[in-house]
Structure formats: structure tokens, C-alpha cells
Amino acid sequence: MGTAHVSKQSVDEVEKMIRTLKPDVICVELCESRMKSVEDPDYLKKLDIFKVFKERKMWLLLSSLILSSFQKKIGNKDIKPGDEMRKAITMARSLKKPVVAVDREIQTTLKRSWGNVGFFSKMYLFSALLASLLVKEDVSDDKIEEMKSDDILKDLFSQIPKKYESVKHVIIDERDVYLAEKIRQAADGKSAKKILAVVGAGHLAGIQRNIHTANDLSVLDEVPKRNWWDNISIILYPVFFAGLIGYTTWSQGGEAGMDLFSKLIYIKGGLAALGALIAWAHPISILLAFITAPIGTFIPIFKAGWVSALSESYLRKPLVEDFEHIAEDSETFVGFWKNRVLHIFLVFFLPQFGSTIGTIIVAGKGLKNLF
């Protein structure tokens, strides 16, 4: 059954289909972790954003929040994103029928998506995601129902440049195969004669193409490993600056080398701290941004944005309301600073941006002095 994820009509149709079909098994287009969050009303209360940043999973959280907020904006006040899945799960539980999460883990999908594109492509795609969060959408009920059309999904991906075809492949095509195989497995070896799978309408055609053939899901569950350039760049970055300072000291004297090193501390650290200040971070987070930025030059695992955001998430923990109001708060300038979740991401991006600008300035000054 194809649905639109923010459609009141889809919710009603799910209920009607279950009562009419009386399925032996109900499958939903959710992964195990998302199904737990859908079923647990206290999910947001239990979410430890400090742990999210500590484990460096903020990109995954941010992508999920943006998608959820965008869906909430184009829906209406009565319908939450995924209510049709929630309805299917609730009815399955009440009828004592097995309910199966048939989607791939969202973290795996996002990691495979990001792993298939380079840095600048990531920035392009992230800016597109961010734009969907900033722009207020006014979509009619009729337009929402049109989202059940497979053509709309195809049109969406036909508009992005060909070089991002790999992202479309991971998010749509791979998951078509994954959903089809998990639905097949829901029936395999069981007495189930009737299965209802509630999925987004855009996946219907792909599932129908793949449902009659067994597929190896272990291949689709693999997470990309760091490539050789990722590993070597971690070494080259500190070696470059150490070599630049060392060569400046050797060719122009210790005073010139110390001057360049001081600029690295004050310019890079100062711009990172300025970014944290503009984000209106806690004084401790500002101080940590200043200290961490120059250290990160020689120990790349230390990044001003990560450390200041980690500090902010510990000192100013978001409330449940902050998560619930992301869609509304993201529409105003004040809301971005007021909402503690959005604010933490600002405290990540601005110090990191300031630190990067500082790196470019100091490297430029060092090379200019040499030549």
C-alpha cells in the first residue's frame, strides 16, 4: 500500500485496509530504531544530545531532524510525519498481529549516501537540505495527495545533477531492493498468507520489480570505509603546518617562526571563538573553541566546532519542546538562537567555519613570507 507520509487520507486508508484485508503480518517502512522511536512517546525525553555529539553522530541527527521538520511543515497541525506508520503499528498491536520493520537502518542509509560523494558535493546536498528547513511551505491537501504519485519522486531526482545519481541510488533504488527482500522474508517459512506492507508510494514500483527475486542484504548493509585520501590527509595537514613553521624558523630565524606560530593561535583561535560568540555560545564553549582551534591544526581529531558543540550540549541541554518546535523555530531568525537544538548546531558550524577561515589566512601569510 503506497502512502504520503503527511497525509490524513493515508492514515484513514491504512485503517480501512487493515480492517478489510485482515492481514496475518503487517510490514512498515521503518527501520528497527525508528520503529522504537515511533512507539515510544518519551523518545525525545530520552535522547541524549551530548552523547550524539560525543559519538560524532550529529550529521545523522541533523539529516533526520531536517527531513522530519520539512515533512511537518508541508503537513498540517493534525498530522505528524509518519502517522500512517504509527496507525499501522497501533492496529497491529491491538489485533495481536506481527509487525515487521522492513526498512534499512537510517544511519546505514545516510552513511552510504554521504560516503558516495566528495566534500563539495556534501556541502551542495546539505545546503539543499538546509534550504528545505529554512523555507516555509504552504501545501494544500490536494498537493499532499499528489505525493502518492511515483512520478513526483522521479521528477524530484531527475532535477538534481547527474553526478549525484549515486545518492539517489542509495536512498531510493537500494531501499527498493531492501524493502522488497524484507517483505519476502516476512512471509518466508511462516504461515502468513496475507501480508500488508505500508510504504511510501514512491517505492511501490521498485518493490514490485524486486519482490520475486531473493537478494543478499548484507551487501546493502555495508558502511563505506575511509579511503586512502581520508587517512593520508589527517597526516598531511599537521605535517604541512609543522613544516611551514619549521622552514620559516630555519630560513628567517626563530622570531619569524614564533610569529607565525602566534598568528596560528590568535587568528585561528580568535576566529573560532568569534564564531562561537556570534552563535551566542556559553562562555566556556567560546573559550574551548579558542583553545581547540589551534590544537586541531596538529591533532586533527580536535575540532573547534565539535568541542564547542559538545560543551554546549552538556551545559545547555535541549528540552523536549525544543525538538518538537524545530519546524516553527527554524522559520525565524530569533527562533534559530532560541531553540536549543538549532542553537547547538549553530555553535558547531560557526566556530568550525571561523577555524577554517583562520587556517586559510595563516597558511596564506606563511607562504607569502616564504616567497
Side-chain angles (χ1 to χ4, degrees), residues 48-278:
D48 186 349
I49 199 165
F50 175 78
K51 185 178 179 182
V52 170
F53 274 87
K54 183 180 178 182
E55 296 177 356
R56 300 203 171 195
K57 294 179 179 177
M58 56 81 59
W59 290 106
L60 302 174
L61 174 62
L62 183 58
S63 300
S64 300
L65 288 176
I66 288 176
L67 178 59
S68 176
S69 297
F70 178 68
Q71 289 179 334
K72 186 175 181 181
K73 285 182 182 185
I74 65 176
N76 58 55
K77 294 180 181 179
D78 300 322
I79 297 295
K80 296 178 182 177
D83 265 356
E84 85 283 15
M85 302 294 169
R86 199 171 284 108
K87 171 62 74 173
I89 295 170
T90 301
M91 292 192 68
R93 301 298 188 205
S94 65
L95 295 171
K96 294 183 170 49
K97 299 294 183 181
V99 58
V100 181
V102 293
D103 203 357
R104 180 170 58 189
E105 279 295 328
I106 186 170
Q107 290 194 25
T108 302
T109 296
L110 290 172
K111 284 180 179 178
R112 285 178 68 88
S113 300
W114 288 123
N116 275 297
V117 295
F119 175 77
F120 291 105
S121 295
K122 286 177 184 176
M123 293 301 100
Y124 170 86
L125 292 167
F126 177 73
S127 65
L129 279 173
L130 193 60
S132 72
L133 180 62
L134 296 172
V135 176
K136 183 176 173 131
E137 292 284 336
D138 185 14
V139 183
S140 67
D141 291 340
D142 291 339
K143 194 70 176 175
I144 289 174
E145 293 310 314
E146 282 182 29
M147 291 178 185
K148 295 178 186 178
S149 166
D150 185 37
D151 293 335
I152 286 185
L153 197 61
K154 287 180 179 176
D155 289 344
L156 172 64
F157 279 96
S158 67
Q159 292 172 20
I160 67 173
K162 285 292 182 183
K163 64 180 177 179
Y164 302 118
E165 189 72 18
S166 59
V167 176
K168 179 259 183 183
H169 176 70
V170 171
I171 295 176
I172 303 298
D173 301 336
E174 285 189 359
R175 286 177 57 229
D176 286 346
V177 175
Y178 201 96
L179 291 165
E181 181 58 27
K182 292 289 280 187
I183 293 169
R184 274 172 41 83
Q185 292 178 7
D188 188 33
K190 295 186 176 71
S191 58
K193 294 182 179 179
K194 288 185 287 186
I195 296 178
L196 173 64
V198 182
V199 300
H203 290 291
L204 282 178
I207 291 173
Q208 289 169 352
R209 281 195 304 271
N210 293 284
I211 194 108
H212 300 292
T213 307
N215 288 279
D216 182 8
L217 296 186
S218 63
V219 177
L220 299 179
D221 277 324
E222 289 179 358
V223 175
K225 295 181 173 62
R226 294 175 66 92
N227 59 39
W228 66 272
W229 174 249
D230 291 330
N231 292 323
I232 200 170
S233 62
I234 294 176
I235 302 171
L236 287 178
Y237 187 65
V239 167
F240 169 77
F241 274 96
L244 188 61
I245 293 170
Y247 187 75
T248 300
T249 302
W250 175 77
S251 62
Q252 300 180 19
E255 187 174 337
M258 184 57 67
D259 180 62
L260 183 61
F261 183 71
S262 298
K263 286 176 180 175
L264 180 68
I265 295 174
Y266 292 112
I267 294 178
K268 189 170 181 178
L271 288 175
L274 178 62
L277 180 62
I278 293 172

Side-chain angles (χ1 to χ4, degrees), residues 234 237-238 241 264 268 289-304 355 359:
I234 294 176
Y237 187 65
F241 274 96
L264 180 68
K268 189 170 181 178
F290 177 80
I291 294 171
T292 307
I295 293 176
T297 304
F298 304 101
I299 310 176
I301 61 170
F302 288 100
K303 296 186 183 296
S355 176
T359 299

